[in-house]
Amino acid sequence: MWTKHHKKRYLGRLVMPAITAVFLTYFGYHSVHGEFGLKATERFDAQLIDRKARLATLVEKRAMIEKEVALLSDGSLERDMLDEKARFALNMSRPDEIVIFH
């Protein structure tokens, strides 16, 4: 009968905890600094706030443009609006007028 006697290795006891520590460190680092980590989430939230503010300004601008179009394309054409748009498009004015573009 053959028997093998193994020496007790103290290094063998540290292998599993070391591998576990390496995995926890890797995943812990990427959960904070990774592409979808905590810091990236903060950047996404800041970007969302900026884009919502920009959307609000664009919605206001679109409402103003839609109002102007409604005045131009309505059944009764507004003479003032037509005159204003024609002068702006042709870059013309009367000699006694002061024109301020905004």
Side-chain angles (χ1 to χ4, degrees):
M1 176 155 63
W2 292 88
T3 60
K4 289 188 179 184
H5 296 283
H6 296 286
K7 280 187 178 180
K8 288 186 178 179
R9 288 183 247 165
Y10 294 107
L11 187 64
R13 290 182 181 176
L14 298 177
V15 171
M16 259 331 253
I19 291 172
T20 304
V22 168
F23 277 114
L24 288 176
T25 303
Y26 175 79
F27 288 116
Y29 176 81
H30 285 288
S31 68
V32 174
H33 299 286
E35 187 177 348
F36 299 106
L38 296 175
K39 290 189 178 185
T41 303
E42 291 174 359
R43 284 193 306 266
F44 289 148
D45 291 341
Q47 198 176 51
L48 178 67
I49 291 169
D50 291 340
R51 289 186 179 175
K52 281 186 178 180
R54 184 165 182 241
L55 176 65
T57 58
L58 290 175
V59 166
E60 289 175 10
K61 192 173 183 181
R62 180 182 173 137
M64 184 180 69
I65 291 172
E66 285 179 352
K67 180 182 169 188
E68 289 178 2
V69 168
L71 289 174
L72 284 174
S73 64
D74 195 15
S76 63
L77 195 59
E78 294 282 332
R79 295 179 117 200
D80 293 336
M81 184 62 83
L82 180 62
D83 186 45
E84 177 187 339
K85 292 296 180 186
R87 287 172 189 245
F88 185 76
L90 297 174
N91 198 17
M92 298 178 72
S93 65
R94 286 184 266 168
D96 62 340
E97 288 181 332
I98 298 173
V99 179
I100 300 173
F101 293 107
H102 58 87

